[in-house]
Amino acid sequence: MILERCLGSMLLVLSMLSNVLGAFVGVNIGTDVSSMPPASDVVAIVKAHQITHIRLYDADPHMLKALAGSGIEVTVGVTNEEVLGIGESASAAAAWINKNVAAYMPSTNITAIAVGSEVLTSVPHAAPVLVTAMNNLHKALVAADLNFQVKVSTPQSMDIIPKPFPPSTATFNSSWNSTIYQLLQFLKNTNSYYMLNAYPYYGYTNGNGIFPIDYALFKPLPSVKQIVDPNTLFHYNSMFDAMVDATYYSMDALNFSVIPIIVTETGWPWQGGSNEPDATVENAETFINKLIQRVSNNSGPPSQPTIPINTYIYELFNEDKRLGPISEKNWGLLFTNGTAVFPLSLGGPSQITGNSTAVFCVAKDDASEDKLRDGLNWACGQGQANCSAIQSGQPCYLPNNIKNHASYAYNDYYQKMHTVGGTCDFDGTATTTTTDPSKFAKVFSSLCSY
């Protein structure tokens, strides 16, 4: 019997993680639900439990209106049916941005566009125009002066990597190399990230017993069963990490390195048919709990230990209208009345509050001056940062160089806006730090304390 628990203890851990510097855990919201609550109720549930990142599979106007003023970071979706038209027409892309993004910003904090869902494997006939569609959307964002705030990417499944283990030898399916190369070049040029749908549930259930279920569920393995890449000797404590690393190595095989990965979907079904014995409440609870603990440690997989694995759980509600096996309908964290399918243990790190270590937003040392100048102009203009102190003759004008002025403007914007979803990115030219830059004369004088 499924115990319905109050959501308070369940998703508090998500609110903790969302406020941790670096990694976050978000939630997907699907709509194939026979008793889908009104958008205002969905947002009320999300806000009540301090979930700060959600992904929509479309650009539903009711949800986008209901999210206004919440500060929640929203990824909106171009549906697979829309990809062809946007890929074939720049004007269609501009119209899509105007209708589904620009019309709601800045009240609704849209930060990313997911172009299609697993296009290469789900709608391969649209693959030739996928990157063109992404370029068209990005150009429309530039025209609307929104490209600093909104990233463009496209979620892909693990199926485009035929042999993901060992990760060090993983490569993309060569039949897609041309498209994937163009995709990675786009992500690099726009400082975006690779969106990955990674499901250890399917990796395990389709693996014919090659890997133990504990490996898929983040459970520790005895020394005799450790999963080790024979080429790098990296130990993999979870299939989740191995999937992410296989994707990093696949990108590296095409000479693209350190394009960050965000896991746009992962989860575990809590109910299945008689031929789906691993879809249980116990396994789902274990997977989700340990996934949250894993992401919250703010580290990456063995090959990229310093890049956190930001992750969206699939999904908020069960989508009972979906076709397929029973498990396909039972991935939700919640029932539609707001109660939890299973309880979650509080395993996250301490929440960062106003009384704890301060976080500052500064320009990266290796950022180009042209991009810093663009970022500075945006922060002082549309970003509404107070840049009067860095004008000639004012106390923070010296040292007079683009990096220091950009750091001042970036941080002024970030301190005002991060509590309502403002990010420290500025087209990849900014980063957060816990060291107060005003303490160092080479950056700012003491008059310019943050």
Side-chain angles (χ1 to χ4, degrees), residues 113-119 130 134 152-156 183 193 195:
I113 300 170
V115 184
S117 178
E118 303 183 353
V119 170
L130 174 61
M134 297 169 71
V152 178
S153 189
T154 179
Q156 297 302 331
L183 166 61
Y193 37 79
M195 291 180 169

Side-chain angles (χ1 to χ4, degrees), residues 54-71:
I54 65 170
R55 175 184 168 217
L56 307 176
Y57 288 91
D58 53 19
D60 178 69
H62 302 292
M63 282 296 297
L64 293 175
K65 287 177 183 177
L67 285 159
S70 68

Side-chain angles (χ1 to χ4, degrees), residues 347-366:
S350 299
Q351 184 173 355
I352 293 178
T353 68
N355 297 322
S356 56
T357 304
V359 178
F360 306 93
C361 179
V362 297
K364 289 182 178 178
D365 291 334
D366 60 352

Side-chain angles (χ1 to χ4, degrees), residues 172-192:
F172 293 115
N173 186 326
S174 59
S175 65
W176 294 117
N177 272 1
S178 176
T179 298
I180 293 172
Y181 184 91
Q182 295 172 46
L183 166 61
L184 297 178
Q185 190 66 59
F186 170 86
L187 299 178
K188 179 180 178 181
N189 291 346
T190 60
N191 288 298
S192 190

Side-chain angles (χ1 to χ4, degrees), residues 33 126 146 165 193 212 232 237 249 257 266 269 281 287 298 312 368 407:
V33 182
L146 294 173
F165 198 89
Y193 37 79
T232 62
N237 297 319
Y249 278 110
S257 59
T266 193
V281 173
F287 180 87
N298 207 33
Y312 290 82
S368 73
S407 288

Side-chain angles (χ1 to χ4, degrees), residues 47-90:
K47 288 173 64 177
H49 300 286
Q50 299 179 310
I51 300 171
T52 60
H53 295 73
I54 65 170
R55 175 184 168 217
L56 307 176
Y57 288 91
D58 53 19
D60 178 69
H62 302 292
M63 282 296 297
L64 293 175
K65 287 177 183 177
L67 285 159
S70 68
I72 295 166
E73 293 197 23
V74 183
T75 295
V76 295
V78 173
T79 65
N80 284 344
E81 292 75 21
E82 294 173 309
V83 171
L84 271 175
I86 290 173
E88 293 171 349
S89 169

